[in-house]
Amino acid sequence: MNDEERKAEALALWQQAYECQMRGELDRAIELYKRSLEVYPTAEAHTFLGWTYSFLGRIDEAIAECLKAIEVDPDFGNPYNDIGAYLIEKGQLDAAIPWLEKAKRAPRYEARCYPYVNLGRIYEMKGKWQEAAREYRQALEIEPRYRAAYLALKRVESLLN
């Protein structure tokens, strides 16, 4: 099997895994993501395998998969944001900040508003209302219809008045 055929098979397995994950079939999703990675390692498969682990509370394994994703493709933004989110979940707010800042600068990242919202959450938890508001505003500049960012900004603005 040549490289293009391996990539195509890996993508098909990744898509099946994602569908299983969205249906809540997490064990099957893990199996399919791992098969995808065996066929052709991608940053997406590592990141989404990590995301599946996070659904099961396996945060350290989720972080490990994101680190592997970054090794495969350092331009892919999702694993940086996900590591930040997992560290927030672990209560390691200061450790999360550099990962979220890297996510903001990642060249290949479709959901660019997420690291801004996650940084806003950190600043909000720290009682840094101005910084939180700034991050939420930036998220809304990127994605004006992102309701969670809008509601978070309104909540923080009410604390500033």
Side-chain angles (χ1 to χ4, degrees):
M1 190 179 314
N2 69 32
D3 235 22
E4 288 307 311
E5 291 169 331
R6 288 178 42 235
K7 283 181 189 177
E9 183 179 339
L11 176 61
L13 288 164
W14 179 88
Q15 288 171 327
Q16 290 174 37
Y18 180 75
E19 290 167 11
C20 287
Q21 183 179 357
M22 293 301 101
R23 287 193 305 265
E25 300 169 12
L26 301 182
D27 290 336
R28 178 74 175 138
I30 288 169
E31 177 187 320
L32 289 166
Y33 284 131
K34 286 181 175 181
R35 283 183 46 207
S36 174
L37 288 163
E38 288 170 8
V39 172
Y40 193 91
T42 64
E44 290 82 358
H46 280 297
T47 301
F48 281 75
L49 175 56
W51 192 31
T52 307
Y53 285 149
S54 78
F55 287 1
L56 296 168
R58 295 161 60 178
I59 302 303
D60 291 333
E61 289 172 88
I63 291 171
E65 287 301 323
C66 287
L67 292 171
K68 291 175 188 174
I70 292 166
E71 285 179 30
V72 172
D73 183 358
D75 289 345
F76 187 48
N78 297 53
Y80 297 102
N81 179 71
D82 290 359
I83 290 172
Y86 301 146
L87 291 171
I88 292 170
E89 193 172 324
K90 291 179 76 165
Q92 298 175 10
L93 304 182
D94 291 330
I97 293 171
W99 292 103
L100 297 169
E101 291 293 347
K102 288 177 184 177
K104 285 178 169 182
R105 296 186 304 273
R108 190 167 73 87
Y109 194 17
E110 291 178 27
R112 194 162 300 278
C113 61
Y114 291 158
Y116 292 94
V117 170
N118 282 326
L119 279 164
R121 290 175 47 218
I122 289 172
Y123 292 131
E124 199 172 344
M125 286 184 248
K126 291 175 160 250
K128 296 181 175 184
W129 315 124
Q130 294 286 352
E131 291 91 337
R134 180 191 69 232
E135 297 296 335
Y136 294 139
R137 280 188 199 100
Q138 289 177 317
L140 288 167
E141 285 176 19
I142 296 164
E143 181 50 62
R145 297 180 315 254
Y146 190 23
R147 185 155 173 78
Y150 174 80
L151 294 173
L153 177 59
K154 292 303 168 197
R155 182 179 57 249
V156 170
E157 285 177 340
S158 73
L159 295 169
L160 291 170
N161 293 329

